[in-house]
Amino acid sequence: WHSQCALLPAARGRFRFRRKCRPPSQDGGGHGRASAEGAAPHPHPGPPRLLQPPHHPPRLKTRAARVRVGKGDKAVTYEKAHPPHYIAHRKGWLSLHTGNLDGERCAAQRAVEDSFVRRFLHGTFPGCLADEAVLKRRSNSLLVCLLLLRRLPPSKLCFLLGYAETLLSHLYKCPVRIEAQTVPAAAVYKYL
């Protein structure tokens, strides 16, 4: 009798099983349910199951790289104020190279290298980065653009810039140049 069950639409886009006929009962009038005498139980006891239609897509609640809205006292920069889907519309890429073009090799290796460079810069200039670093690859050279806060004396800042350039050049075996600009405070785009 399983072939005689029909899948019928119900209210609110849900589907339910409705039986066209009931199987013959064992105890004569029990509507297919087992009686106290020990007859075999019905293969589908209870009310019909409600099923979710298969065509509903899952809910997408992406919250990555978004600043949570507060009471209006949280200062955010232009880069953090716009979510990731505004890249190339309202803001640019932070890593510029040809590895993201179709058919290019070693794109994953460049992404790992960029992540390492960013972590290295956060550790070399602790609390001094005013905004995210922009990494530009031109043929065999790496250009790092930084916006630094004026929290260190100029002599120490010059030493750290030379140290970072030299160490990254030896690690990646390519010329690395760091272009830094110092600002008195981080530029506030708006308050959230």
Side-chain angles (χ1 to χ4, degrees):
W1 70 276
H2 293 285
S3 62
Q4 296 176 354
C5 293
L7 186 65
L8 300 176
R12 296 185 189 157
R14 295 188 176 184
F15 288 83
R16 63 183 173 88
F17 281 106
R18 190 166 126 189
R19 295 183 211 121
K20 290 183 182 178
C21 65
R22 299 207 179 258
S25 62
Q26 307 284 334
D27 57 348
H31 295 291
R33 301 198 187 269
S35 63
E37 290 89 31
H42 186 273
H44 297 288
R49 296 184 312 165
L50 295 177
L51 299 176
Q52 195 75 357
H55 62 275
H56 281 288
R59 292 183 183 176
L60 299 175
K61 294 183 179 180
T62 54
R63 294 169 48 180
R66 285 171 172 76
V67 179
R68 299 178 86 182
V69 178
K71 298 176 182 176
D73 57 348
K74 189 186 303 182
V76 293
T77 61
Y78 186 84
E79 190 67 38
K80 292 181 181 177
H82 296 293
H85 61 270
Y86 285 122
I87 292 176
H89 296 282
R90 294 184 187 173
K91 65 180 187 177
W93 285 272
L94 294 177
S95 179
L96 301 171
H97 56 82
T98 58
N100 294 334
L101 298 176
D102 188 33
E104 288 291 321
R105 297 176 296 146
C106 303
Q109 181 183 358
R110 288 190 182 121
V112 171
E113 289 176 359
D114 291 351
S115 175
F116 173 76
V117 169
R118 289 179 200 284
R119 290 178 187 217
F120 175 79
L121 292 173
H122 276 283
T124 305
F125 304 99
C128 292
L129 291 178
D131 209 356
E132 292 292 325
V134 178
L135 306 176
K136 301 176 183 178
R137 294 177 189 272
R138 296 178 183 160
S139 62
N140 191 30
S141 65
L142 176 65
L143 176 65
V144 180
C145 301
L146 294 177
L147 200 60
L148 298 171
L149 299 174
R150 294 179 186 155
R151 293 184 179 169
L152 297 173
S155 59
K156 189 170 185 176
L157 188 62
C158 288
F159 169 76
L160 288 177
L161 287 172
Y163 160 79
E165 279 185 0
T166 306
L167 196 60
L168 288 173
S169 295
H170 284 290
L171 285 175
Y172 288 116
K173 296 176 179 59
C174 70
V176 175
R177 196 172 82 219
I178 297 179
E179 292 181 357
Q181 181 180 356
T182 59
V183 291
V188 177
Y189 175 66
K190 65 180 179 180
Y191 291 92
L192 293 179

